[in-house]
Amino acid sequence: VETTSRLAQWRIDNLASCTYRKSDPFRMGNWNWHLSIEKNRTLFVKLYPVISNLNKDQPPIASFFARVRSSLGDRTLIHPGIIDKQLKNDDFVWAIEIPLAGKFVIDVEFLDLKTRSTDGGEPASIWDRGFVDVRSSVTGLSSLGRMLSEDIHTDITINASEGSIRAHRAVLATRSPVFRSMFSHNLKEKEMSTIDISDMSIEACQAFLNYIYGCIQQEDFLTHRLALLRAADKYDVADLKEACHDSLLEDIDTKNVLERLQNAHLYRLPILKSCCLRYLVNFGKIFDIRDEFNAFLQFADRELITEVFQEVLAAW
């Protein structure tokens, strides 16, 4: 089974009657998983996690779509989807009555994986944790957040596209070499005590400052990831750029892969670019978004288009 981001793909050769096959284990989230197929009169597709003594008390609560398609692309069967279902052994079995011949591919695209909290609270997504908490918390003491939110001894104004926010030169200069350079030379930012960031909305700018001050919320981070990536690249905030990159790797799908690919090229993120190309080409998703891909080719950078076609030729 091949995996990328949240997609698992199993390619099956010709399957005879009265046959059972089980995939090698593959990693998704915190668990190893198996896919299995059993063919008699009906084809049964099963997905289940490997439950061990270490994780038996916290089995995954999964949301995903499943699809079976012929390798020639002439037939595709789509399961209606699973939302927040706890999986242990045979909790997901898909019975397919329509006969399939020749080679075919099973796709499982995970939307979310959750676990129940040990204190009995609501299940929480495993993919909502880890990208920002550590990186953001080490940027400063928790009191920095109060300095920003309560406008304590602020000494510079940041003008976004729809408003302005007061901040502190020392904090900005500590976190960004670009800001430090502005304040160290006789530039207008130093003389007028203002910074113009007209290409950011006020909400995205607030999220950018919240990250710098160590008080960003996960929801705000996810909402403004692309704007934060642009700001991180522009103002050389390396840890924010890394956090955006890591997060963007985790939920590539057909709706966002072309935009992610363009941004990976623009902001020099080779791992994200490679994952997007692999998702499109190696996993065959380029055929699912032909119209969007044709439109993408009209406006994308020529160098990027060349890379895409080189990837296609290499796969062929």
Side-chain angles (χ1 to χ4, degrees), residues 79-232:
H79 189 274
I82 295 295
I83 301 297
D84 288 343
K85 181 178 180 64
Q86 183 172 283
L87 298 182
K88 291 185 178 180
N89 296 315
D90 291 337
D91 293 322
F92 175 74
V93 180
W94 181 14
I96 300 174
E97 303 285 350
I98 300 173
L100 291 170
K103 298 180 180 180
F104 58 93
V105 179
I106 299 174
D107 281 352
V108 179
E109 191 142 10
F110 288 82
L111 305 177
D112 203 1
L113 286 172
K114 299 178 180 178
T115 56
R116 297 191 183 279
S117 61
T118 55
D119 59 4
E122 289 293 319
S125 172
I126 66 167
W127 282 319
D128 281 348
R129 306 191 292 263
F131 293 119
V132 184
D133 295 346
V134 174
R135 294 186 181 98
S136 181
S137 64
V138 299
T139 59
L141 301 175
S142 59
S143 57
L144 286 177
R146 288 185 55 228
M147 289 172 58
L148 178 68
S149 62
E150 298 177 20
D151 198 8
I152 301 174
H153 298 304
T154 54
D155 55 9
I156 195 161
T157 300
I158 298 179
N159 296 318
S161 63
E162 303 144 353
S164 60
I165 304 171
R166 295 284 293 171
H168 306 81
R169 297 179 194 227
V171 177
L172 299 181
T174 300
R175 297 289 285 117
S176 163
V178 176
F179 286 139
R180 187 185 313 131
S181 179
M182 289 180 181
F183 305 144
S184 299
H185 301 86
N186 292 322
L187 303 176
K188 68 172 185 177
E189 289 83 4
K190 179 179 179 181
E191 294 177 0
M192 301 180 65
S193 296
T194 60
I195 300 173
D196 291 326
I197 309 182
S198 58
D199 58 347
M200 288 189 84
S201 68
I202 189 68
E203 294 84 7
C205 187
Q206 184 68 64
F208 179 48
L209 290 176
N210 286 346
Y211 182 90
I212 286 178
Y213 280 73
C215 57
I216 193 170
Q217 299 297 312
Q218 180 75 12
E219 182 178 352
D220 293 336
F221 174 79
L222 294 175
T223 300
H224 300 290
R225 274 181 297 183
L226 292 178
L228 292 173
L229 176 61
R230 288 192 292 271

Side-chain angles (χ1 to χ4, degrees), residues 276-294:
C276 290
L277 289 173
R278 187 164 174 252
Y279 182 86
L280 284 169
V281 178
N282 296 70
F283 287 84
K285 295 301 181 180
I286 196 171
F287 299 109
D288 295 345
I289 52 171
R290 293 179 185 180
D291 293 340
E292 294 88 342
F293 182 69
N294 289 334

